[in-house]
Amino acid sequence: MPELPEVETVIRSVAPKIEGRSILGTQRFSALVMPEDCTAALVGQTIHSVSRYGKHILMELDRGVLDVHLGMTGKLLTNGAETPYTRAILVLDRGRLLYDDIRQFGRIRYHERGEATDELGPDALTIGPAEFAERLAARRGRIKPLLLDQRFVRGLGNIYADEALFRAGVHPRARAARLSAHRAQSLHQAIVEVLTAAIEKGGSSISDYVDAEGRAGSFQVEHQVYGREGEPCIRCGRPIRRIVLAQRSAHYCPKCQRV
DNA sequence: ATCTATTCCTGGCTGC
DNA sequence: TGCAGCCAGGAATAGA
């Protein structure tokens, strides 16, 4: 599932192919993926740059921004063939950009410049340790659901939240505000390290994820808790446990991670 | 403020 | 082999 490292990898692979290209037309737009039809507004505009906002892919156009969120199974493909799951196509002056999405949890939205957009928290990769600790201290809730809340920090999803908590030795049910300064700092460091390492491996490919050229990532082989329920902890050997927290699965080691 | 439940969607499992 | 039923989960939403 695309989280910060996967989205970053998609952007790095898609940007050189579409920056500077102009949009000649659109094809096959799924109403589910694009709740408000903006296809007419896109035609004739040039894609100036592609950047990441949390898990959002932002394409800067002449008069606005095209916001692509991959959801669970979304793919942005520059050289892919159409499939039954191709939900949207941008016809460019050189090539086409396909948006494939099996489950259609992804969304494509267009905002004219100046229009209000959703305000999310600081980016998980660039937030500083002091600001991170300060934001933690202000929250009463449990740490795992907080890490998944894009208004708290943007970019983390279920995989990297679990992986960061394990690396920092923090139990997913730990209360955010009760973490010591030292543990808050460890968690911040673990988040930055795990995201950086995952970007270097082109992200995690569990089921569907590939970059804009169809290449899978390889960080899934370095997962230490996610998807390892019942398997031995790499540190202490105890079986990794899976619980449901805030309607999400949380994987952790009952010995190495403390509340 | 925080928490839970629900909805969206469909391929791929599981179990009979 | 076939098929029903369940699961994964990001994010929005409603309600407690």
Side-chain angles (χ1 to χ4, degrees):
Chain A
M1 49 224 84
E3 305 179 24
L4 189 154
E6 290 75 26
V7 174
E8 183 66 32
T9 304
V10 168
I11 287 174
R12 290 181 186 185
S13 56
V14 81
K17 298 292 183 71
I18 66 171
E19 281 178 350
R21 303 271 60 82
S22 57
I23 300 168
L24 300 184
T26 60
Q27 297 168 345
R28 287 180 60 168
F29 267 91
S30 148
L32 268 172
V33 161
M34 181 179 284
E36 290 163 46
D37 187 351
C38 65
T39 52
L42 301 179
V43 178
Q45 297 208 54
T46 295
I47 303 169
H48 295 289
S49 62
V50 187
S51 61
R52 187 178 58 75
Y53 183 69
K55 303 177 199 172
H56 294 255
I57 298 165
L58 301 184
M59 301 180 196
E60 199 73 28
L61 309 181
D62 295 320
R63 297 187 299 277
V65 176
L66 191 62
D67 174 352
V68 178
H69 192 294
L70 301 174
M72 288 292 298
T73 54
K75 303 176 187 177
L76 221 39
L77 301 166
T78 50
N79 54 4
E82 283 179 58
T83 71
Y85 309 115
T86 304
R87 310 298 185 182
I89 300 174
L90 289 185
V91 182
L92 307 175
D93 56 353
R94 194 183 302 160
R96 297 193 304 173
L97 182 63
L98 270 55
Y99 179 75
D100 274 41
D101 192 346
I102 290 177
R103 293 181 206 175
Q104 300 193 87
F105 276 15
R107 293 292 178 265
I108 299 176
R109 292 193 164 88
Y110 173 70
H111 305 284
E112 290 283 336
R113 200 158 333 281
E115 249 175 31
T117 51
D118 288 345
E119 187 84 8
L120 303 179
D123 195 87
L125 200 53
T126 55
I127 186 174
E131 188 187 2
F132 182 73
E134 198 176 299
R135 291 175 71 83
L136 278 187
R139 302 298 290 261
R140 297 271 188 93
R142 303 187 189 273
I143 187 65
K144 171 74 190 288
L146 201 53
L147 294 180
L148 295 179
D149 183 348
Q150 303 299 298
R151 291 161 305 182
F152 180 72
V153 281
R154 67 179 124 102
L156 287 175
N158 213 31
I159 295 175
Y160 298 106
D162 279 0
E163 292 297 321
L165 287 169
F166 174 75
R167 283 160 170 74
V170 175
H171 195 288
R173 271 205 265 256
R175 295 279 173 185
R178 296 223 184 134
L179 289 179
S180 67
H182 175 72
R183 300 184 80 210
Q185 193 180 358
S186 297
L187 181 54
H188 171 266
Q189 191 180 331
I191 289 169
V192 173
E193 282 178 2
V194 77
L195 293 176
T196 303
I199 291 171
E200 282 171 16
K201 295 295 169 96
S204 303
S205 289
I206 304 273
S207 55
D208 299 274
Y209 165 73
V210 290
D211 74 5
E213 301 200 66
R215 294 174 298 221
S218 65
F219 193 70
Q220 65 280 2
V221 306
E222 293 179 38
H223 291 177
Q224 298 176 351
V225 285
Y226 185 85
R228 297 194 63 242
E229 181 186 12
E231 293 175 38
C233 169
I234 60 153
R235 232 180 265 161
C236 76
R238 279 186 177 66
I240 297 300
R241 205 172 277 177
R242 190 183 85 95
I243 56 171
V244 174
L245 197 52
Q247 288 77 241
R248 296 269 105 77
S249 63
H251 310 75
Y252 70 100
C253 172
K255 171 94 185 306
C256 298
Q257 292 173 255
R258 299 295 183 181
V259 176

